[in-house]
Coordinates of all heavy atoms in Angstrom, one line a residue:
Chain B
H47 N -13.7 -0.1 3.1 CA -13.2 0.9 4.1 C -12.0 1.7 3.5 O -11.4 1.3 2.5 CB -12.7 0.2 5.3 CG -11.5 -0.7 5.1 ND1 -11.6 -2.1 4.9 CD2 -10.2 -0.5 5.2 CE1 -10.4 -2.6 4.7 NE2 -9.5 -1.7 4.9
T48 N -11.8 2.8 4.1 CA -10.7 3.6 3.8 C -9.9 3.7 5.0 O -10.3 4.2 6.1 CB -11.1 5.0 3.4 OG1 -12.1 4.9 2.3 CG2 -10.0 5.9 2.9
E49 N -8.7 3.3 5.0 CA -7.8 3.3 6.2 C -6.6 4.2 5.9 O -6.1 4.3 4.8 CB -7.4 1.9 6.6 CG -8.6 1.2 7.3 CD -8.1 0.1 8.2 OE1 -7.0 -0.4 8.0 OE2 -8.9 -0.3 9.1
E50 N -6.1 4.8 6.9 CA -4.9 5.6 6.9 C -4.0 5.2 7.9 O -4.3 5.0 9.1 CB -5.4 7.1 7.2 CG -4.4 8.1 6.8 CD -5.0 9.5 7.0 OE1 -5.1 9.9 8.2 OE2 -5.5 10.1 6.1
L51 N -2.7 4.9 7.5 CA -1.7 4.5 8.5 C -1.5 5.7 9.5 O -1.5 6.8 9.1 CB -0.4 4.2 7.9 CG -0.4 2.8 7.1 CD1 0.9 2.7 6.4 CD2 -0.7 1.7 8.0
L52 N -1.4 5.3 10.8 CA -1.1 6.3 11.8 C 0.3 6.9 11.5 O 1.3 6.2 11.5 CB -1.1 5.7 13.2 CG -2.4 5.5 13.9 CD1 -2.2 4.8 15.2 CD2 -3.1 6.9 14.1
S53 N 0.3 8.2 11.3 CA 1.6 8.9 11.2 C 2.0 9.3 12.6 O 1.3 9.1 13.6 CB 1.4 10.2 10.4 OG 0.5 11.0 11.0
D54 N 3.2 9.9 12.8 CA 3.6 10.4 14.1 C 2.6 11.4 14.7 O 2.3 11.4 15.8 CB 5.0 11.1 14.0 CG 6.1 10.0 13.7 OD1 5.8 8.8 14.0 OD2 7.1 10.4 13.2
R55 N 2.1 12.2 13.8 CA 1.2 13.2 14.2 C -0.1 12.5 14.6 O -0.8 12.9 15.6 CB 0.9 14.1 13.0 CG 0.1 15.4 13.4 CD 0.1 16.3 12.2 NE -1.0 17.2 12.3 CZ -1.8 17.6 11.3 NH1 -1.6 17.1 10.1 NH2 -2.8 18.4 11.5
G56 N -0.5 11.5 13.9 CA -1.7 10.7 14.2 C -1.6 10.1 15.6 O -2.6 10.1 16.3
V57 N -0.5 9.7 16.0 CA -0.3 9.0 17.3 C -0.7 10.0 18.4 O -1.3 9.7 19.4 CB 1.1 8.5 17.5 CG1 1.3 8.0 18.9 CG2 1.3 7.3 16.6
G58 N -0.3 11.3 18.2 CA -0.7 12.3 19.2 C -2.2 12.5 19.3 O -2.7 12.8 20.3
V59 N -2.9 12.3 18.1 CA -4.3 12.6 18.1 C -5.1 11.3 18.7 O -6.0 11.5 19.4 CB -4.8 12.8 16.7 CG1 -6.3 12.9 16.6 CG2 -4.2 14.1 16.1
D60 N -4.6 10.2 18.3 CA -5.3 8.9 18.7 C -4.5 8.3 19.8 O -3.4 7.8 19.6 CB -5.4 8.0 17.5 CG -6.0 8.7 16.3 OD1 -7.1 9.2 16.5 OD2 -5.4 8.6 15.2
D61 N -5.0 8.3 21.0 CA -4.3 7.7 22.1 C -4.3 6.2 21.9 O -5.3 5.5 21.9 CB -5.1 8.1 23.4 CG -4.6 7.4 24.6 OD1 -3.4 6.9 24.5 OD2 -5.3 7.4 25.6
V62 N -3.1 5.7 21.8 CA -2.9 4.2 21.5 C -2.4 3.5 22.8 O -2.1 2.3 22.7 CB -2.0 4.0 20.3 CG1 -2.6 4.4 19.0 CG2 -0.6 4.6 20.5
S63 N -2.4 4.1 23.9 CA -2.0 3.4 25.1 C -2.8 2.2 25.4 O -4.0 2.3 25.3 CB -2.0 4.4 26.3 OG -3.3 4.8 26.5
G64 N -2.2 1.0 25.6 CA -2.9 -0.2 25.8 C -3.4 -0.9 24.6 O -4.1 -1.9 24.6
V65 N -3.1 -0.3 23.4 CA -3.6 -0.9 22.2 C -2.4 -1.1 21.3 O -2.2 -0.4 20.3 CB -4.7 -0.1 21.5 CG1 -5.3 -0.8 20.3 CG2 -5.7 0.3 22.5
E66 N -1.5 -2.0 21.7 CA -0.1 -2.0 21.1 C -0.1 -2.4 19.7 O 0.7 -2.0 18.9 CB 0.8 -2.9 21.9 CG 0.9 -2.6 23.4 CD -0.3 -3.1 24.2 OE1 -1.1 -3.8 23.7 OE2 -0.3 -2.8 25.4
R67 N -1.0 -3.3 19.3 CA -0.8 -4.0 18.0 C -1.6 -3.3 16.8 O -1.4 -3.7 15.7 CB -1.2 -5.4 18.1 CG -0.1 -6.3 18.7 CD -0.3 -7.7 18.6 NE -1.4 -8.1 19.5 CZ -1.8 -9.4 19.6 NH1 -1.4 -10.3 18.7 NH2 -2.8 -9.7 20.4
K68 N -2.4 -2.4 17.2 CA -3.1 -1.7 16.1 C -2.2 -0.7 15.4 O -1.7 0.2 16.0 CB -4.4 -1.0 16.7 CG -5.1 -0.2 15.6 CD -6.4 -0.9 15.3 CE -7.1 0.0 14.2 NZ -8.4 -0.6 13.7
V69 N -2.0 -0.9 14.1 CA -1.1 0.0 13.4 C -1.8 1.0 12.4 O -1.3 2.0 12.0 CB -0.1 -0.8 12.6 CG1 0.9 -1.5 13.5 CG2 -0.7 -1.7 11.6
A70 N -3.1 0.7 12.1 CA -3.8 1.6 11.2 C -5.2 1.9 11.9 O -5.7 1.1 12.6 CB -4.1 0.9 9.9
T71 N -5.6 3.1 11.6 CA -6.9 3.4 12.2 C -7.9 3.8 11.0 O -7.5 4.2 10.0 CB -6.9 4.6 13.1 OG1 -8.2 4.9 13.6 CG2 -6.3 5.8 12.4

Side-chain angles (χ1 to χ4, degrees):
Chain B
H47 65 269
T48 306
E49 285 202 338
E50 193 174 79
L51 288 174
L52 275 176
S53 62
D54 290 340
R55 191 171 157 222
V57 172
V59 174
D60 306 309
D61 174 16
V62 292
S63 58
V65 191
E66 302 83 4
R67 278 190 287 176
K68 174 106 183 179
V69 292
T71 180

